[in-house]
Amino acid sequence: AAARRFAALIARRASGEPVAYLIGEREFMALPFRVGPGALVPRPETELLVEWALGWLAHRPRAVVLDIGTGSGAIAVALAAHLAPDWAGRIIAADRSGEALAWAARNRAALAQSQRVRLVRGDLTDWCAAGAADLLLANLPYLTPGQIAENPDLAAEPRTALDGGPDGLDLVRRLLADAPRALAAGGAFGLELDPSQTEPVAALARQTLPGARIRIIADLSGRPRHVVGER
């Protein structure tokens, strides 16, 4: 019986399902996140974005954080779990996918962060009020159709969480276009991207948020991975 179960798992892996789907879990920021079809598997690169956000929030005890395109809730729930117990701000995690939000709800409950993380079904920041966000975080779909097609390990993950359009930046452009409205004065943002996109996105951020301090953060392999900025 064990051999049959193992053979079934091997067959699923050979068809392109990620190991995280097979075991139902992926560690992120030293926390066990439940994952499965309908939500992107959290990646180690995203931990650096969370670490940057934790540093930014350390002296802002009442900030409002928006995690846009939350998927499994990894960014929002990990932030909530690692912030100081007396941090009194709010974390709002949004996604347009009901299936993804169901995974985020499971993780929010399993990691005891229901008091700190609110879930919202909405498209980017269209649903939020002007000046609502002190910190805007997003790991949006940023791959091109060609990049997806050439990587069979992505076949089982939701296309809507991967495909960013012809150059991978369709949703990033929309989010940055609304950032001047959604971000409060003195607010900040952090975006995860493909290394080839960081310079163009940094330039776009400087255009949409004139005067903002924009910088690029490298991942652990030394490749440019995140664009962050502060008004």
Side-chain angles (χ1 to χ4, degrees), residues 124-126 136 140 169-183 189 191 201 204-210 231:
L124 298 181
T125 49
D126 293 351
L136 184 61
L140 295 172
L169 295 177
D170 283 0
L171 293 177
V172 173
R173 286 192 192 91
R174 282 185 54 204
L175 183 64
L176 282 176
D178 196 39
R181 181 194 69 85
L183 273 180
F189 72 90
L191 306 174
V201 169
L204 180 60
R206 292 185 183 101
Q207 292 174 14
T208 56
L209 292 164
R231 298 187 89 171

Side-chain angles (χ1 to χ4, degrees), residues 31-44:
L31 298 168
F33 276 83
R34 299 176 182 182
V35 291
L40 192 73
V41 177
R43 266 62 169 183

Side-chain angles (χ1 to χ4, degrees), residues 49 137-138 172 175-176 189-193 201 225-228:
L49 183 61
L137 301 172
V172 173
L175 183 64
L176 282 176
F189 72 90
L191 306 174
E192 180 169 325
L193 302 156
V201 169
R225 178 65 62 179
H226 302 105
V227 173
V228 301

Side-chain angles (χ1 to χ4, degrees), residues 42-154:
R43 266 62 169 183
E45 293 84 0
T46 312
E47 293 186 355
L48 296 176
L49 183 61
V50 175
E51 290 171 358
W52 171 81
L54 286 169
W56 195 86
L57 291 168
H59 304 293
R60 295 171 174 88
R62 297 191 178 278
V64 176
V65 183
L66 303 188
D67 173 23
I68 303 301
T70 193
S72 66
I75 291 175
V77 175
L79 265 180
H82 286 285
L83 283 162
D86 61 350
W87 188 80
R90 289 187 295 146
I91 301 173
I92 304 171
D95 206 294
R96 61 186 179 186
S97 165
E99 199 172 6
L101 285 174
W103 284 108
R106 292 185 190 104
N107 287 311
R108 180 181 65 171
L111 296 169
Q113 299 302 326
S114 295
Q115 296 301 312
R116 276 193 166 178
V117 178
R118 175 188 168 201
L119 301 178
V120 170
R121 188 167 186 179
D123 188 25
L124 298 181
T125 49
D126 293 351
W127 53 272
C128 75
D134 295 301
L135 179 59
L136 184 61
L137 301 172
N139 180 15
L140 295 172
Y142 58 70
L143 298 180
T144 67
Q147 287 174 312
I148 297 169
E150 68 188 16
N151 188 345
D153 279 340
L154 299 176

